[in-house]
Amino acid sequence: MNDLNDLYQEIILDHNKRPRNRRKLEGASLKAEGYNPLCGDRVTIYAKVEDGIVTEVTFEGSGCAISTASASLMTEALKGKTLEQAKEIFEHFHGLVTGNGEESKEGPGLGKLAVFSGVCRFPARVKCATLAWHTANAALHEKDKTVTTE
Ligand code: ZN
């Protein structure tokens, strides 16, 4: 487990300990559920979209530190963005953690999310880091609202 120490940087620890926006969102217009059977992470994403802008996004769920921190950071990253921007951030983040993306520092709103760049070295953890994102993507953009990483 020593190798994982690199991942557990301060931001991840902080967001795991004190997740932001972890609550059910009353009156959410969009909702999706995700499950990562590999690790047992579960997440439900709630969102409100008005005039094409994500005005609120929250999550509920339980899982490992990576999945919780990722969901927490994601809610901060997506709030206030347009649906288009949300999709771009998702794609950037996905590229970052799978190691397929350009390490573009100009990415839209990645900011703190860059702490997850080390995850690409741990393939089993990639699903933990991306679960909330796939789920939010489904909530915002897709008709099928149940996501599994398998
Ligand atoms: Zn996990």
Side-chain angles (χ1 to χ4, degrees), residues 36 39 41 63-64 67 125 128:
N36 171 18
C39 179
D41 309 316
C64 65
S67 69
R125 290 284 165 183
C128 302

Side-chain angles (χ1 to χ4, degrees), residues 7 12 18 24 32-33 35-36 44 54 69 75 77 82-83 99 101 124 131 136 145:
L7 291 177
I12 294 179
R18 297 183 301 120
K24 189 172 179 179
E33 288 174 24
Y35 176 48
N36 171 18
T44 303
V54 182
T75 60
T82 65
L83 287 172
L131 176 67
K145 307 290 192 193

Side-chain angles (χ1 to χ4, degrees), residues 7-23:
L7 291 177
Y8 287 67
Q9 295 172 36
E10 222 170 292
I11 292 174
I12 294 179
L13 281 173
D14 176 47
H15 277 261
N16 179 50
K17 232 191 271 173
R18 297 183 301 120
R20 319 303 196 264
N21 305 305
R22 184 157 80 177
R23 63 194 159 84

Side-chain angles (χ1 to χ4, degrees), residues 2 15 17 25 28-31 36 40 48 54 56-57 66 69 74 77 91 94 99 106 109 118 125-126 136 141-142:
N2 281 342
H15 277 261
K17 232 191 271 173
L25 182 60
S29 50
L30 298 166
K31 181 185 165 194
N36 171 18
K48 280 186 194 172
V54 182
E56 290 269 13
V57 51
I66 299 279
M74 182 192 73
E91 278 160 13
H94 197 260
E106 309 302 316
R125 290 284 165 183
V126 168
H141 299 285
E142 283 163 34

Side-chain angles (χ1 to χ4, degrees), residues 9-129:
Q9 295 172 36
E10 222 170 292
I11 292 174
I12 294 179
L13 281 173
D14 176 47
H15 277 261
N16 179 50
K17 232 191 271 173
R18 297 183 301 120
R20 319 303 196 264
N21 305 305
R22 184 157 80 177
R23 63 194 159 84
K24 189 172 179 179
L25 182 60
E26 294 303 332
S29 50
L30 298 166
K31 181 185 165 194
E33 288 174 24
Y35 176 48
N36 171 18
L38 217 61
C39 179
D41 309 316
R42 284 182 188 278
V43 69
T44 303
I45 302 290
Y46 302 92
K48 280 186 194 172
V49 174
E50 285 167 33
D51 298 327
I53 293 172
V54 182
T55 55
E56 290 269 13
V57 51
T58 69
F59 77 102
E60 281 186 314
S62 59
C64 65
I66 299 279
S67 69
T68 301
S70 181
S72 172
L73 281 154
M74 182 192 73
T75 60
E76 289 192 325
L78 295 187
K79 190 172 173 181
K81 301 294 192 297
T82 65
L83 287 172
E84 271 312 296
Q85 288 171 325
K87 190 149 200 150
E88 272 178 49
I89 296 172
F90 165 73
E91 278 160 13
H92 258 84
F93 181 79
H94 197 260
L96 180 80
V97 297
T98 55
N100 295 324
E102 300 297 311
E103 283 208 32
S104 156
K105 297 183 176 56
E106 309 302 316
L110 276 187
K112 279 189 266 180
L113 298 172
V115 300
F116 288 97
S117 61
V119 170
C120 66
R121 288 183 282 125
F122 306 95
R125 290 284 165 183
V126 168
K127 290 178 175 174
C128 302

